[in-house]
Amino acid sequence: MTTGDDIKAAGDELTAILVRMRRGVAFTGAGISTESGIPDFRSPGGLWTRNRPIDFATFLSDRAMRDEAWRRRFAMEDAFAGARPGRGHRALAHLLGEGRLAGIVTQNIDGLHQASGVRDDRLVELHGNTTYAACLECGERYELAWVRQRFETHGGRAPDCLDCGGPIKTATISFGQPMPAEAMARARALTQACDVFLALGSSLVVWPAAGFPVEAKRRGATLVIVNREPTEIDDIADLVIHADIGDVLGRAAASAGTM
Ligand code: NAD
């Protein structure tokens, strides 16, 4: 982690970048939501160290793993349902409101950007949303309360779609599941047009999402990375800050006169 004077100098540099930013893009990962009580994947004690994710092919082919996926989801429900936007989410909502950010591209599935007041047309969810569910066959939407009630009254069995019998899954993109074409196109357009690309709280190892900061930099945008740990593309960034997002972004946005 960057410390003391380094963080202060880097924070001043970030403030200067935010002041001149006109069509920025914020690219957010699980690290922006840890302050809100939702663990990330790859930090020590993160979700990854407890349970390997269930990939899409396994979810489709193995009923027992489908049950297990829902058991894990409901075990996380208190964290997801109780989470409120943190300082990072709030700073980005302000930067959007000021017209400095053109949009937010998130890998997160927790709905916290919307909860901070960001409109759907300013937000791209690359990996979907875990706060509701849908049938994988016909697309029918299901609320989690309904899924949970069925799950609990049927001995922990994952329910099937009432209309077509297809598997019901949280509206998220699992490993091995095709990326949503429209979200990818919107994220690409934002990336290609931005002047500043802020990569916040992502280990930047999940592809194709991690390709966006590389693309932004290649097209001439200023690339800023704020993450507690080093990422694989720190070496191409214009500014790297290894510190807490809430501390750094909250302060920089306020100093830029935007909050
Ligand atoms: P990741 O777990 O791979 O990386 C998160 C990074 O954030 C880590 O490098 C960690 O050091 C850093 N970090 C954690 N707290 C921080 C803080 N307060 N300030 C600064 N840095 C902090 O997460 P990822 O890159 O987003 O990839 C994981 C995938 O898992 C994503 O695709 C996402 O869909 C999913 N996921 C989402 C959530 C969520 O919606 N909140 C939570 C866990 C996982």
Side-chain angles (χ1 to χ4, degrees):
M1 180 158 320
T2 319
T3 50
D5 290 348
D6 289 349
I7 291 185
K8 180 163 179 346
D12 291 347
E13 207 177 321
L14 177 58
T15 301
I17 290 170
L18 297 183
V19 165
R20 64 171 192 269
M21 182 168 81
R22 291 292 174 270
R23 48 181 196 285
V25 169
F27 178 82
T28 62
I32 199 168
S33 296
T34 53
E35 159 174 307
S36 303
I38 301 174
D40 64 11
F41 259 171
R42 292 177 181 78
S43 286
L47 298 175
W48 193 274
T49 59
R50 289 184 249 159
N51 283 314
R52 284 261 145 191
I54 296 166
D55 66 31
F56 190 52
T58 307
F59 185 91
L60 287 180
S61 64
D62 187 337
R63 271 206 159 266
M65 291 309 282
R66 212 179 293 170
D67 299 342
E68 170 63 9
W70 277 110
R71 189 196 63 73
R72 289 184 194 177
R73 175 61 187 83
F74 294 132
M76 288 288 298
E77 179 56 7
D78 286 349
F80 279 116
R84 297 289 170 267
R87 289 170 296 170
H89 299 103
R90 293 198 297 271
L92 293 182
H94 277 274
L95 289 167
L96 264 175
E98 293 285 325
R100 293 172 199 266
L101 272 183
I104 299 174
V105 177
T106 190
Q107 300 181 90
N108 292 345
I109 55 175
D110 53 30
L112 287 177
H113 286 300
Q114 293 93 325
S116 72
V118 174
R119 293 193 329 243
D120 285 344
D121 63 344
R122 292 303 175 128
L123 180 68
V124 181
E125 289 181 312
L126 287 176
H127 295 161
N129 192 304
T130 194
T131 63
Y132 61 96
C135 170
L136 288 171
E137 298 281 344
C138 70
E140 180 70 11
R141 176 178 166 135
Y142 289 90
E143 301 311 319
L144 288 198
W146 180 87
V147 179
R148 187 169 199 167
Q149 199 261 339
R150 294 282 292 210
F151 181 81
E152 287 173 354
T153 54
H154 289 72
R157 303 297 307 272
D160 294 326
C161 179
L162 295 177
D163 285 350
C164 74
I168 297 174
K169 181 178 173 292
T170 55
T172 52
I173 306 297
S174 299
F175 286 102
Q177 189 169 357
M179 293 294 286
E182 193 200 335
M184 285 296 285
R186 288 177 62 213
R188 213 170 283 125
L190 280 165
T191 300
Q192 291 176 353
C194 74
D195 57 351
V196 175
F197 192 98
L198 306 169
L200 308 168
S202 173
S203 56
L204 300 175
V205 296
V206 179
W207 286 77
F212 290 112
V214 178
E215 168 77 353
K217 176 66 188 167
R218 197 175 63 78
R219 287 189 171 252
T222 301
L223 175 59
V224 178
I225 295 177
V226 183
N227 202 60
R228 277 204 295 237
E229 296 164 310
T231 78
E232 288 184 9
I233 62 164
D234 281 3
D235 55 335
I236 66 161
D238 299 281
L239 176 63
V240 178
I241 308 179
H242 293 154
D244 183 78
I245 293 166
D247 288 346
V248 168
L249 196 63
R251 200 171 302 145
S255 305
T258 65
M259 289 183 78

